[in-house]
Amino acid sequence: MHAKEHRGRDYTPLFKFLLAHVGKPWNEVYSEAVSRLDRADPIFWLVALTECDRDEFVRAGESSYYSGLYVDDSGLLQRVNPKLGPSSLAPECKCCTHTFNGVRFTQPFRLSEFSLEPGSNSET
Ligand SMILES: [Zn+2]
């Protein structure tokens, strides 16, 4: 088995290539993508082959997020959730620059994310 790790390798260009070809025939996108790579599996970090593998977004590295993709019934590459964008997710921490499809998150980091609303349920 070739269990070689490719950690630290940057697949940003591949992910951007895939995103730029949403709506295009998957066969063509795949063969072009695979011809530029030494291995095919990073393609499937973003592209789900089965329905249960579909994710709205995929995390690549510490703070880079990308749209989850799939192939529709007519063989076209599609986003799992086309509405998802840089304003959809909140950053997990303050120290990193979080990006969605290469675009910076528009939501600020908030510590109050999990705090309860005060005075909404007063029992006396
Ligand atoms: Zn951080």
Side-chain angles (χ1 to χ4, degrees):
M1 279 292 288
H2 296 280
K4 234 183 185 179
E5 287 272 352
H6 290 255
R7 273 187 197 281
R9 181 137 184 197
D10 186 13
Y11 286 102
T12 305
L14 167 68
F15 299 152
K16 290 195 169 161
F17 170 84
L18 293 172
L19 288 162
H21 290 79
V22 165
K24 301 270 163 49
W26 167 239
N27 287 343
E28 294 171 23
V29 178
Y30 177 76
S31 54
E32 192 173 343
V34 87
S35 72
R36 301 180 187 192
L37 295 167
D38 53 353
R39 60 193 200 131
D41 55 304
I43 296 170
F44 302 107
W45 297 347
L46 238 64
V47 182
L49 290 183
T50 59
E51 210 168 325
C52 58
D53 281 341
R54 288 180 198 174
D55 291 310
E56 291 198 337
F57 61 87
V58 176
R59 187 175 173 173
E62 281 299 302
S63 52
S64 303
Y65 296 77
Y66 292 93
S67 291
L69 305 175
Y70 73 101
V71 181
D72 72 9
D73 293 337
S74 25
L76 303 176
L77 187 63
Q78 302 289 1
R79 291 187 193 206
V80 175
N81 183 352
K83 287 178 189 156
L84 219 61
S87 62
S88 306
L89 304 170
E92 281 178 351
C93 63
K94 219 174 170 177
C95 53
C96 306
T97 303
H98 291 70
T99 58
F100 189 83
N101 296 345
V103 180
R104 235 182 134 140
F105 278 23
T106 57
Q107 286 188 44
F109 171 70
R110 281 188 301 262
L111 262 180
S112 56
E113 196 78 354
F114 301 106
S115 67
L116 298 166
E117 275 182 54
S120 57
N121 186 23
S122 49
E123 286 175 274
T124 29

